[in-house]
Amino acid sequence: MKPRPTRGRMRIHSLENVDKALQFLKEQRVHLENIQVIKIETEDNRETRSAKDALLLWCQMKTAGYPEVNIQNFTTSWRDGLAFNALIHRHRPDLVDFSKLTKSNANYNLQRAFRTAEQHLGLARLLDPEDVNMEAPDEKSIITYVVSFYHYFSKMKALAVEGKRIGKVLDQVLEVGKIIERYEELAAELLAWIHRTVGLISNQKFANSLSGVQQQLQAFTAYCTLEKPVKFQEKGNLEVLLFSIQSKLRACNRRLFVPREGCGIWDIDKAWGELEKAEHEREAALRAELIRQEKLELLAQRFDHKVAMRESWLNENQRLVSQDNFGYELPAVEAAMKKHEAIEADIAAYEERVQGVAELAQALAAEGYYDIRRVAAQRDSVLRQWALLTGLVGARRTRLEQNLALQKVFQEMVYMVDWMEEMQAQLLSPECGQHLVEADDLLQKHGLLEGDIVAQSERVEALNAAALRFSQLQGYQPCDPQVICNRVNHVHGCLAELQEQAARRRAELEASRSLWALLQELEEAESWARDKERLLEAAGGGSAAGAAGAAGTAGGAHDLSSTARLLAQHKILQGELGGRRALLQQALRCGEELVAAGGAVGPGAETVQLVGLAERAASARRRWQRLEEAAARRERRLQEARALHQFGADLDGLLDWLRDAYRLAAAGDFGHDEASSRRLARQHRALTGEVEAHRGPVSGLRRQLATLGGASGAGPLVVALQVRVVEAEQLFAEVTEVAALRRQWLRDALAVYRMFGEVHACELWIGEKEQWLLSMRVPDSLDDVEVVQHRFESLDQEMNSLMGRVLDVNHTVQELVEGGHPSSDEVRSCQDHLNSR
């Protein structure tokens, strides 16, 4: 068993090879020096690499395409031995059967590669399988061994490559160029077919019939089963062709082919996806359209069946409603109307079925049915027959209604003639009433009869007008016009006779009522005037002397409120007098007219004579004159009493105000300081102004009382008012005197408080200055001396000013003392204290 070499060192297998190994090491050193100049140009970005990276790139290029060979470094990428065998197979495929090698048999692969390199290539065996098939093979040893492969193969094929390279490259370029042209041509044709097919099958316009849509669906199915598979096979061939192009270029170590924009496999796949999407949409649309056309065919069959049924029913009912057999009496016409209403109900119920035909036609039109013209024609035919039937039914109803209305008018005319005959019997009564209540009752009943006649006359006129309209109809006429006119004339004559008789009866009743009403009005007016006259005499009758006394005793006017109440009651009485006066005058005029007529009222021998009407009117006129004179006297007395009572009330208010003013003027409060004294002085000035404002009214009280009491004499109320006037004058004089005294006292108090304020202010100033002088120190610097000197100069000026205020205080004290002020001692003491300071 051979001893294992140390890691990182090559092993020499036999002594006889020592010289060969030494020679090999020398050569390898040269090779290691030459490895520094190995340069390989890449095909992706034309970048050059050198040294170890160049050798690694060379190995990758030579082993490209070999399965399970991926050289990324000079250590672990060589452990399975496939990389060494791939290098030998790339240059001498006759020495190695690479297809029989497996990745799992690493030692076998390494042993075979090393033995083949040593025996057939003459490369010294520098490594054993154990040196490579390990966790971390020595990188430098593997690089040295791989460099020997690089130099051997470079020398071996240098001349052959040089000779064949140009021709081979040219042949490959020409061959690949032809294949590329073929690819682009086929790709352009396939894309053009795809775009054209997408445009065709994207068209959503379909034949507007079931057979046409079925043919379109068959054509689309033929396309999917015959034409499309061929193009799908062409698409697969294009992918194979592109792979072949790329393989050839990759084998020549040339840059891969990039199809021009729009012709790549990805473009074809994208277009093919759009084609399949359009196919799906086309198929879905065709299926939906096929279902729609089948539904339309079923709907059209249903429409034809319904049209046939509706036309048969319409023809039968048209024949039925074309017959007129109404009769000539009201019961027969009513029976014919009920039968016609049953026919109308049946026809009205059938309208939904006719509308169903129109709805089916509208649905077919909305869905675009291909034979819509025929459908529309049949629908129009059914609608025309329906319109004809409804027109015939309406015309027959109109004729029936005319017959029924005319028969009802004739029946109403018969009823009206019977009623007018009954009314004429009631209007022939000779009774006119024996007094006003009975006359009013008869007239009211006659008014009700007239209201009935007016209402029925309107009804008669309406019946006549309605009947005459039937005689003026154009075309169909339910009755002979002459018969209608004869009946209208008969009814109109009966109505005119009834109205004339009602007017005569009303004239008789109104004449009777007017006489009785006039007599009653005159009697009521005289009675009312008599009652009011007695009331006025009881309230305040007698002479006008002593208006206040009379008003207070006889009239109840004891005070102002009672007088106002009596005046209000008297105004109400005057209002009643005015209203009664107009009614009485009207009644008197009516009486004069009746007397001037000088006849009798009433039918036949039963008359009402105008006896005593003139005497009753004259008596009522005299009674009314006396009532108006009594009312005028009472109003005059009440006005005088109200004026006196109002004067007394105003006088009481004045006395109350004077008493309040006296209380305020006699108050002993003069204030406790200057501010309160000023406030009291302002209040007193206001009070004095009000007192002066009342001077004029107080002085005019005697004249006003003389004016009011002149007509009444010296009644008790006037005497009492005179006493109160004297009281008011005396109280006003006292208020004036007291107010003058209080004004002086307030003025003195204000002067005292003002003097006390001045004294207090002066003493405060003197105290402050004394304290400053006592606390002042002699200054140490010239500046402080100047400041003190300045303050002394200011003190002199302030003392001069204070002296003026002290003199004013002394003058005020002198005036108070000389005026005999109650606080003279206190004022003088305050003055002495200030002067001593």
Side-chain angles (χ1 to χ4, degrees):
M1 184 175 179
K2 297 180 182 180
R4 293 184 63 82
T6 306
R7 182 178 179 182
R9 298 178 179 274
M10 294 181 294
R11 181 183 176 133
I12 301 176
H13 298 279
S14 60
L15 296 176
E16 60 269 16
N17 292 330
V18 172
D19 293 337
K20 187 182 293 185
L22 292 174
Q23 182 64 30
F24 179 76
L25 288 175
K26 291 179 182 180
E27 293 176 357
Q28 294 306 315
R29 187 176 68 179
V30 175
H31 294 165
L32 289 174
E33 293 175 355
N34 293 335
I35 195 175
Q36 302 298 327
V37 298
I38 296 175
K39 294 183 178 181
I40 303 297
E41 292 184 353
T42 63
E43 295 186 0
D44 52 355
N45 54 7
R46 310 302 296 176
E47 179 185 357
T48 59
R49 304 183 182 185
S50 58
K52 183 176 69 175
D53 293 337
L55 182 62
L56 180 63
L57 181 60
W58 177 79
C59 294
Q60 292 173 350
M61 294 173 61
K62 294 302 180 180
T63 58
Y66 285 88
E68 297 183 348
V69 176
N70 185 16
I71 300 175
Q72 299 296 330
N73 51 45
F74 286 105
T75 55
T76 57
S77 298
W78 303 82
R79 288 179 56 184
D80 54 8
L82 293 178
F84 291 105
N85 286 282
L87 286 175
I88 296 172
H89 185 269
R90 168 69 69 182
H91 297 88
R92 294 289 301 277
D94 57 316
L95 299 179
V96 177
D97 188 1
F98 191 84
S99 60
K100 295 181 179 180
L101 302 178
T102 59
K103 186 178 183 66
S104 60
N105 198 358
N107 288 330
Y108 174 78
N109 298 337
L110 292 170
Q111 186 67 31
R112 183 174 181 78
F114 295 160
R115 185 185 302 113
T116 302
E118 183 180 14
Q119 293 178 358
H120 297 283
L121 302 181
L123 299 179
R125 183 170 180 172
L126 303 179
L127 299 173
D128 284 335
E130 295 81 1
D131 298 331
V132 180
N133 189 14
M134 59 188 305
E135 291 295 331
D138 185 65
E139 184 181 30
K140 292 182 180 180
S141 299
I142 294 176
I143 290 174
T144 302
Y145 192 50
V146 172
V147 167
S148 64
F149 280 89
Y150 172 76
H151 286 291
Y152 176 79
F153 290 135
S154 298
K155 291 178 181 179
M156 181 186 72
K157 292 188 178 182
L159 296 176
V161 170
E162 291 294 336
K164 296 180 180 179
R165 180 174 295 172
I166 298 174
K168 185 177 181 180
V169 168
L170 290 176
D171 292 339
Q172 290 176 350
V173 167
L174 292 175
E175 181 181 0
V176 171
K178 291 179 180 179
I179 297 175
I180 289 173
E181 291 178 359
R182 178 62 178 165
Y183 168 81
E184 291 181 346
E185 181 181 356
L186 293 176
E189 291 178 356
L190 181 59
L191 285 171
W193 177 84
I194 291 174
H195 293 153
R196 184 171 59 256
T197 305
V198 168
L200 291 174
I201 65 178
S202 297
N203 186 8
Q204 297 296 332
K205 292 183 178 180
F206 305 112
N208 193 15
S209 63
L210 179 61
S211 60
V213 175
Q214 289 175 346
Q215 292 176 2
Q216 288 179 334
L217 184 60
Q218 291 175 0
F220 181 75
T221 304
Y223 154 77
C224 293
T225 56
L226 299 177
E227 184 177 359
K228 182 183 176 183
V230 176
K231 296 300 179 179
F232 183 77
Q233 184 177 2
E234 292 181 3
K235 176 177 175 292
N237 294 337
L238 274 176
E239 293 178 356
V240 173
L241 186 60
L242 179 62
F243 180 77
S244 175
I245 292 171
Q246 302 294 16
S247 299
K248 290 180 180 295
L249 292 175
R250 191 180 291 109
C252 297
N253 294 325
R254 294 180 59 193
R255 180 176 300 185
L256 297 180
F257 167 64
V258 178
R260 69 172 182 267
E261 184 177 359
C263 292
I265 291 299
W266 51 89
D267 297 322
I268 296 175
D269 289 339
K270 182 178 179 181
W272 194 265
E274 294 177 356
L275 175 63
E276 290 181 343
K277 179 180 178 182
E279 289 174 356
H280 176 72
E281 294 176 354
R282 176 72 173 182
E283 182 178 5
L286 277 172
R287 298 291 181 187
E289 183 64 21
L290 180 63
I291 293 172
R292 192 179 74 86
Q293 290 294 337
E294 290 175 350
K295 291 181 179 178
L296 286 178
E297 286 295 331
L298 293 175
L299 193 63
Q301 294 175 6
R302 182 183 174 190
F303 173 80
D304 294 337
H305 178 68
K306 286 183 178 293
V307 165
M309 294 176 62
R310 304 299 177 263
E311 288 180 345
S312 175
W313 183 87
L314 289 170
N315 291 329
E316 291 179 2
N317 282 272
Q318 286 174 7
R319 288 193 299 271
L320 179 63
V321 299
S322 299
Q323 302 173 2
D324 287 347
N325 48 358
F326 306 143
Y328 299 99
E329 299 293 335
L330 181 61
V333 176
E334 289 178 345
M337 176 59 75
K338 291 181 180 179
K339 182 178 179 181
H340 183 80
E341 289 175 353
I343 296 173
E344 282 185 331
D346 185 25
I347 293 174
Y350 205 80
E351 183 178 5
E352 294 183 359
R353 301 183 183 183
V354 176
Q355 286 299 121
V357 172
E359 290 174 359
L360 287 176
Q362 184 178 2
L364 289 171
E367 294 295 332
Y369 184 60
Y370 75 98
D371 199 9
I372 191 61
R373 292 185 178 179
R374 178 187 63 80
V375 171
Q378 291 180 337
R379 177 202 61 193
D380 295 340
S381 175
V382 171
L383 293 179
R384 281 195 301 272
Q385 294 184 27
W386 173 257
L388 177 60
L389 176 61
T390 54
L392 292 174
V393 171
R396 191 171 189 271
R397 167 172 275 278
T398 301
R399 296 193 295 273
L400 259 174
E401 289 176 349
Q402 291 176 354
N403 277 273
L404 183 61
L406 181 60
Q407 294 300 326
K408 288 182 178 180
V409 169
F410 286 165
Q411 187 69 33
E412 289 292 330
M413 286 181 173
V414 173
Y415 293 155
M416 292 305 303
V417 170
D418 295 340
W419 176 82
M420 286 186 285
E421 291 177 356
E422 294 176 1
M423 294 297 295
Q424 287 179 1
Q426 297 181 16
L427 293 174
L428 293 175
S429 175
E431 186 178 359
C432 294
Q434 299 299 321
H435 49 78
L436 180 61
V437 175
E438 187 176 357
D440 284 336
D441 184 59
L442 291 174
L443 191 59
Q444 186 176 5
K445 291 179 180 179
H446 185 75
L448 294 176
L449 292 177
E450 285 183 330
D452 292 340
I453 293 172
V454 171
Q456 296 301 329
S457 64
E458 294 177 356
R459 186 178 177 187
V460 168
E461 294 295 334
L463 288 174
N464 291 337
L468 290 175
R469 283 197 295 271
F470 286 103
S471 65
Q472 299 171 357
L473 292 176
Q474 300 294 330
Y476 177 78
Q477 291 183 346
C479 182
D480 187 4
Q482 187 61 42
V483 174
I484 297 174
C485 293
N486 293 337
R487 294 196 179 189
V488 167
N489 293 331
H490 175 68
V491 173
H492 187 72
C494 292
L495 178 63
E497 184 179 355
L498 179 64
Q499 290 175 345
E500 183 180 357
Q501 189 172 355
R504 289 196 301 269
R505 175 67 175 168
R506 169 165 283 279
E508 295 172 357
L509 292 175
E510 286 182 348
S512 176
R513 183 190 179 284
S514 297
L515 179 60
W516 292 115
L518 180 59
L519 291 173
Q520 184 173 348
E521 286 179 4
L522 292 174
E523 182 179 357
E524 288 179 355
E526 187 175 358
S527 176
W528 185 86
R530 186 183 304 110
D531 294 338
K532 294 301 179 183
E533 186 178 359
R534 286 197 300 267
L535 180 63
L536 290 174
E537 291 175 354
S543 64
T553 58
H558 304 292
D559 53 15
L560 182 61
S561 60
S562 61
T563 304
R565 177 176 53 80
L566 292 174
L567 274 173
Q569 293 176 358
H570 190 73
K571 287 185 180 296
I572 295 173
L573 177 61
Q574 285 183 333
E576 294 178 0
L577 284 174
R580 291 279 183 170
R581 185 185 300 111
L583 295 176
L584 180 60
Q585 291 176 357
Q586 183 178 1
L588 292 174
R589 284 196 299 272
C590 292
E592 292 174 355
E593 292 176 358
L594 287 176
V595 172
V601 181
E606 198 172 340
T607 63
V608 181
Q609 301 294 332
L610 302 176
V611 179
L613 182 59
E615 291 79 3
R616 188 178 293 275
S619 176
R621 187 178 291 107
R622 288 192 300 271
R623 178 66 64 180
W624 192 264
Q625 183 67 28
R626 289 196 298 271
L627 175 62
E628 287 185 345
E629 292 175 355
R633 286 194 302 272
R634 178 165 176 75
E635 182 179 7
R636 193 165 51 252
R637 288 194 298 271
L638 288 174
Q639 292 289 350
E640 293 172 357
R642 184 179 65 176
L644 288 174
H645 286 302
Q646 183 65 45
F647 178 80
D650 295 341
L651 185 58
D652 291 339
L654 179 60
L655 287 171
D656 293 337
W657 182 86
L658 288 173
R659 293 187 186 98
D660 292 338
Y662 183 83
R663 179 178 52 80
L664 293 175
D669 184 14
F670 303 107
H672 57 277
D673 54 10
E674 183 180 357
S676 60
S677 296
R678 288 184 182 276
R679 178 174 55 78
L680 292 174
R682 286 195 299 272
Q683 293 177 358
H684 188 71
R685 283 196 298 271
L687 177 62
T688 304
E690 293 180 2
V691 171
E692 290 298 324
H694 283 79
R695 184 179 297 277
V698 171
S699 62
L701 288 176
R702 290 179 179 274
R703 292 191 301 274
Q704 186 177 359
L705 180 59
T707 302
L708 294 176
S712 301
L717 180 58
V718 175
V719 174
L721 290 175
Q722 289 174 352
V723 172
R724 290 160 67 187
V725 166
V726 173
E727 181 183 357
E729 291 175 347
Q730 293 176 356
L731 185 57
F732 181 78
E734 293 175 1
V735 169
T736 305
E737 183 179 356
V738 172
L741 291 175
R742 179 172 174 76
R743 181 172 61 253
Q744 182 61 39
W745 292 341
L746 286 172
R747 190 178 302 161
D748 294 342
L750 183 60
V752 171
Y753 288 130
R754 189 182 301 113
M755 185 272 294
F756 284 160
E758 287 291 328
V759 170
H760 181 66
C762 292
E763 288 182 350
L764 285 177
W765 185 88
I766 293 172
E768 291 177 358
K769 299 306 177 183
E770 286 179 351
Q771 187 177 0
W772 174 69
L773 290 172
L774 291 175
S775 62
M776 186 184 65
R777 295 179 183 179
V778 178
D780 297 332
S781 62
L782 181 61
D783 295 336
D784 294 339
V785 171
E786 291 178 354
V787 172
V788 172
Q789 184 179 1
H790 180 69
R791 293 188 65 180
F792 270 107
E793 292 175 355
S794 300
L795 180 62
D796 290 338
Q797 295 177 1
E798 293 177 1
M799 289 181 67
N800 292 331
S801 176
L802 181 64
M803 182 59 67
R805 296 173 66 182
V806 171
L807 291 177
D808 292 339
V809 169
N810 291 329
H811 180 70
T812 302
V813 171
Q814 186 66 27
E815 290 179 353
L816 292 174
V817 172
E818 291 177 355
H821 195 274
S823 302
S824 299
D825 296 337
E826 184 180 356
V827 170
R828 187 175 295 279
S829 175
C830 184
Q831 177 189 18
D832 295 340
H833 184 270
L834 176 61
N835 292 331
S836 65
R837 295 292 299 273

